[in-house]
Amino acid sequence: DADVTQTPRNRITKTGKRIMLECSQTKGHDRMYWYRQDPGLGLRLIYYSFDVKDINKGEISDGYSVSRQAQAKFSLSLESAIPNQTALYFCATSDSGTGGVVGELFFGEGSRLTVL
Amino acid sequence: RKEVEQDPGPFNVPEGATVAFNCTYSNSASQSFFWYRQDCRKEPKLLMSVYSSGNEDGRFTAQLNRASQYISLLIRDSKLSDSATYLCVPLSGNTGKLIFGQGTTLQVKP
């Protein structure tokens, strides 16, 4: 089983719909991240969280919200999806340094979202 | 200026060639640096970490120039399997967030 699991893996939706992408991890890491990837633009940070009560905006947080329900779960919501949110979304986790390498990210396999 | 900049390429090289990519960063507080490899439509995976002036792992060498704020990745004796996109990530020391460069695409040809 994957250490970082994203659901759904693929989703097609319509403009204006609410979408939630979920991420769960079994690595025991306290840091979690959401990125989106567009062709030619690399990975861009949407939100990140260093603990259950900690939420931070990344580079492109407008139009998105997140929830850190537990240490192992970090979900990304699009309240009203629009076509330019069509992208590949990655969740990632990282150790804070107590046992592993700070900064080494472990990614899920990605969630491909298409907004029509 | 973007926080992290990379030449997107593509770099097309023959097998056996030596190729180098640069990554410039704007946050002088960055203490640690990472090179990730991403295959097409797959998740990125860590290739190398750099905490001081550089790091070497087999055919791969990373060198850090703090004065000029760039980090380079050198690949010697390129293999077909090295074809991928290479992503640079400085660890921002004062925020802990991880911002990726847009990546450099390498195509190794037979």
Side-chain angles (χ1 to χ4, degrees):
Chain A
D1 288 341
D3 294 322
V4 183
T5 304
Q6 292 183 231
T7 56
R9 293 291 313 281
N10 288 283
R11 181 73 183 268
I12 299 173
T13 190
K14 294 182 179 180
T15 297
K17 293 291 187 183
R18 183 176 187 272
I19 294 296
M20 180 180 285
L21 305 180
E22 302 197 28
C23 177
S24 62
Q25 52 119 343
T26 58
K27 298 194 73 67
H29 289 165
D30 46 7
R31 299 183 175 192
M32 298 187 74
Y33 306 77
W34 274 105
Y35 290 90
R36 70 175 274 177
Q37 187 168 37
D38 300 272
L41 293 178
L43 283 122
R44 291 184 290 168
L45 181 62
I46 306 172
Y47 273 98
Y48 61 107
S49 168
F50 286 174
D51 201 349
V52 173
K53 292 186 170 62
D54 178 73
I55 300 291
N56 304 282
K57 291 184 176 182
E59 303 170 271
I60 53 161
S61 57
D62 288 347
Y64 301 95
S65 62
V66 290
S67 174
R68 186 82 185 266
Q69 305 95 317
Q71 189 195 38
K73 296 184 183 295
F74 192 37
S75 58
L76 175 72
S77 294
L78 288 68
E79 296 301 326
S80 180
I82 55 177
N84 76 2
Q85 290 178 312
T86 293
L88 180 58
Y89 290 84
F90 285 106
C91 174
T93 73
S94 173
D95 190 76
S96 61
T98 54
V101 174
V102 177
E104 179 176 4
L105 291 168
F106 294 85
F107 286 85
E109 293 182 301
S111 296
R112 187 167 295 279
L113 177 64
T114 302
V115 183
L116 302 176
Chain B
R1 181 183 173 186
K2 289 183 182 178
E3 285 197 49
V4 188
E5 293 196 66
Q6 295 183 252
D7 180 347
F11 284 62
N12 294 300
V13 303
E15 272 187 289
T18 295
V19 61
F21 320 129
N22 277 348
C23 166
T24 58
Y25 60 95
S26 61
N27 188 345
S28 59
S30 297
Q31 295 295 313
S32 306
F33 302 84
F34 307 90
W35 282 102
Y36 282 79
R37 172 198 167 119
Q38 185 177 26
D39 294 300
C40 188
R41 298 181 183 273
K42 299 283 191 180
E43 71 274 23
K45 293 186 179 177
L46 183 67
L47 175 69
M48 185 174 286
S49 308
V50 183
Y51 300 105
S52 56
S53 61
N55 194 6
E56 184 172 334
D57 183 5
R59 298 182 293 110
F60 299 84
T61 300
Q63 289 189 317
L64 174 61
N65 184 319
R66 290 190 188 275
S68 300
Q69 292 186 207
Y70 74 85
I71 183 165
S72 63
L73 178 67
L74 180 79
I75 305 175
R76 290 181 295 276
D77 189 22
S78 298
K79 311 290 184 191
L80 294 175
S81 58
D82 293 334
S83 297
T85 296
Y86 292 84
L87 301 158
C88 166
V89 188
L91 175 60
S92 176
N94 53 354
T95 67
K97 69 181 181 181
L98 295 159
I99 301 293
F100 281 78
Q102 71 177 107
T104 297
T105 297
L106 171 66
Q107 296 277 4
V108 181
K109 307 290 187 181

